[in-house]
């Protein structure tokens, strides 16, 4: 059979026509799907942190995304009604029109019942406060037979009775005992330690916070949580013990280059090499 005769065969014609139709359908469907799903048309999610809901809606409209407030928390140190968290996170690549779920800081403070911490150790009391959504303020040491035994609980310089309703995130000061035979502690090395862990370390070493300072890289509450210590006073150049209740000043940054290099203890090196 000649080539012309082969292509004139009705079976071959129908088969070729079917192949062409299928190919056109595949290509057409591909272009249609790309148009419908905006293939490769992605945008970066803006950062809504610390915005009001109204400001977030304006920013979302400008960036071709949608926002929905899906949850709330209460953080005393943050502006009421401000955006606390978003999903997807800022900088994520999404399609136009994507819904961004926002968690905002509650406008009304949550109420907490004050627990009874009398008789607890300072560490136990701190854990109980944390579980109730409260913060440890200062450790106020007074002479007593048992060190770090809680003798009184204070709010705004006044004793607070167990069962009293107070705002979530309130700072509770603890009056704790200090024995004359067990009253010393050491300054922890906190360089590179994140904010909350650094505060915990100070309190866990029976010390207080005198002052907290942030450099210009820390601009929001989320930045605060992610910042780390680059300077501390006192530092740890001396191994001299300090009286429990002594105060520390901590300086925080997001710039890792500010973290000092660890100092090598010459005494430790001498011991290691037997000198």
């Amino acid at each position: 059979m000649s080539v012309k005769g082969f292509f004139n065969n009705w079976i071959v014609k129908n088969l070729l026509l079917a192949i062409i139709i299928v190919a056109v359908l595949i290509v057409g469907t591909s272009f249609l799907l790309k148009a419908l799903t905006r293939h490769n048309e992605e945008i970066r999610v803006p950062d809504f942190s610390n915005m009001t809901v109204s400001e977030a809606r304006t920013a979302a409209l400008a960036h071709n995304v949608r926002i929905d407030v899906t949850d709330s928390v209460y953080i005393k140190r943050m502006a009421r009604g401000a955006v606390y968290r978003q999903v997807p996170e800022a900088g994520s690549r999404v399609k136009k029109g994507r819904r961004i779920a926002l968690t905002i800081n509650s406008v009304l403070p949550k109420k907490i019942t004050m627990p009874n911490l009398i008789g607890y150790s300072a560490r136990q009391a701190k854990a109980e406060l944390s579980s109730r959504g409260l913060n440890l303020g200062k450790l106020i040491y007074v002479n007593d037979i048992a060190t770090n035994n809680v003798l009184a609980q204070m709010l705004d310089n006044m004793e607070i009775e167990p069962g009293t309703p107070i705002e979530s995130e309130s700072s509770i000061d603890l009056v704790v005992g200090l024995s004359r035979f067990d009253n010393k502690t050491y300054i922890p090395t906190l360089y590179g330690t994140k904010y909350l862990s650094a505060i915990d370390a100070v309190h866990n070493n029976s010390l207080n916070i005198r002052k907290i300072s942030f450099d210009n890289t820390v601009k929001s509450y989320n930045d605060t949580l992610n910042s780390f210590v680059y300077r501390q006073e006192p530092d740890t150049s001396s191994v001299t013990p300090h009286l429990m209740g002594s105060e520390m000043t901590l300086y925080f940054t997001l710039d890792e280059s500010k973290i000092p290099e660890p100092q090598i203890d010459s005494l430790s090196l001498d011991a290691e090499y037997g000198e």
Side-chain angles (χ1 to χ4, degrees), residues 195-216:
Y195 178 78
L196 291 178
S197 295
I199 303 301
D200 279 345
V202 170
H203 288 148
N204 289 340
N205 281 274
S206 302
L207 297 165
N208 284 313
I209 302 291
R210 177 191 298 115
K211 179 184 175 184
I212 290 176
S213 180
F214 300 95
D215 71 3
N216 58 12

Side-chain angles (χ1 to χ4, degrees), residues 17-262:
L17 181 61
I19 292 173
I20 292 170
I21 291 173
V22 170
V24 170
L25 286 174
I26 291 174
V27 173
T29 301
S30 175
F31 278 110
L32 181 62
L33 287 174
K34 287 180 180 180
L36 291 176
T37 60
R38 298 184 177 93
H39 186 67
N40 290 331
E41 292 184 29
E42 292 186 329
I43 58 174
R44 289 192 180 277
V45 177
D47 187 356
F48 298 110
S49 299
N50 296 307
M51 292 184 184
T52 64
V53 174
S54 176
E55 291 170 339
R57 291 194 191 285
T58 301
L61 184 63
H63 288 82
N64 294 311
V65 293
R66 298 179 295 119
I67 63 166
D68 282 329
V69 177
T70 59
D71 199 5
S72 66
V73 295
Y74 178 67
I75 300 171
K76 191 172 185 178
R77 293 156 289 178
M78 190 176 182
R80 306 286 174 88
V83 175
Y84 168 66
R85 182 170 53 236
Q86 64 184 75
V87 179
E89 295 181 351
S92 302
R93 300 192 71 88
V94 298
K95 296 287 193 303
K96 290 182 180 179
R98 172 68 183 272
R99 184 179 74 94
I100 311 299
L102 302 182
T103 298
I104 65 170
N105 192 32
S106 177
V107 175
L108 297 176
K110 183 179 178 181
K111 290 292 185 178
I112 302 293
T113 300
M114 181 65 202
N116 185 3
L117 305 176
I118 309 303
Y120 281 35
S121 70
R123 191 177 291 262
Q124 290 171 329
K126 177 174 169 292
E128 180 65 16
L129 288 172
S130 179
S131 71
R132 299 288 187 104
L134 299 169
N135 297 313
L136 173 60
K138 282 194 172 184
L139 296 170
I140 304 169
Y141 281 93
V142 297
N143 292 330
D144 190 67
I145 192 172
T147 293
N148 275 330
N149 180 55
V150 176
L151 304 174
Q153 50 197 35
M154 313 281 289
L155 175 64
D156 297 330
N157 296 320
M158 297 180 62
E159 283 199 48
I160 179 169
E161 294 293 328
T164 304
I166 57 176
E167 289 187 5
S168 173
E169 293 288 318
S170 293
S171 291
I172 305 299
D173 297 334
L174 299 178
V175 179
V176 290
L178 186 66
S179 166
R180 60 185 181 133
F181 301 108
D182 180 20
N183 57 14
K184 299 292 185 180
T185 187
Y186 290 89
I187 301 298
T189 300
L190 299 176
Y191 302 115
T193 304
K194 282 194 172 183
Y195 178 78
L196 291 178
S197 295
I199 303 301
D200 279 345
V202 170
H203 288 148
N204 289 340
N205 281 274
S206 302
L207 297 165
N208 284 313
I209 302 291
R210 177 191 298 115
K211 179 184 175 184
I212 290 176
S213 180
F214 300 95
D215 71 3
N216 58 12
T217 65
V218 182
K219 297 181 173 66
S220 67
Y221 182 74
N222 285 333
D223 286 347
T224 297
L225 296 181
N226 289 314
S227 65
F228 37 79
V229 177
Y230 71 95
R231 179 182 166 196
Q232 65 178 68
E233 297 172 358
D235 61 21
T236 51
S237 58
S238 171
V239 294
T240 303
H242 286 66
L243 188 67
M244 288 182 178
S246 296
E247 296 181 325
M248 291 188 68
T249 296
L250 301 180
Y251 299 82
F252 291 88
T253 184
L254 290 174
D255 183 356
E256 293 185 11
S257 67
K258 285 190 173 184
I259 302 176
E261 293 292 331

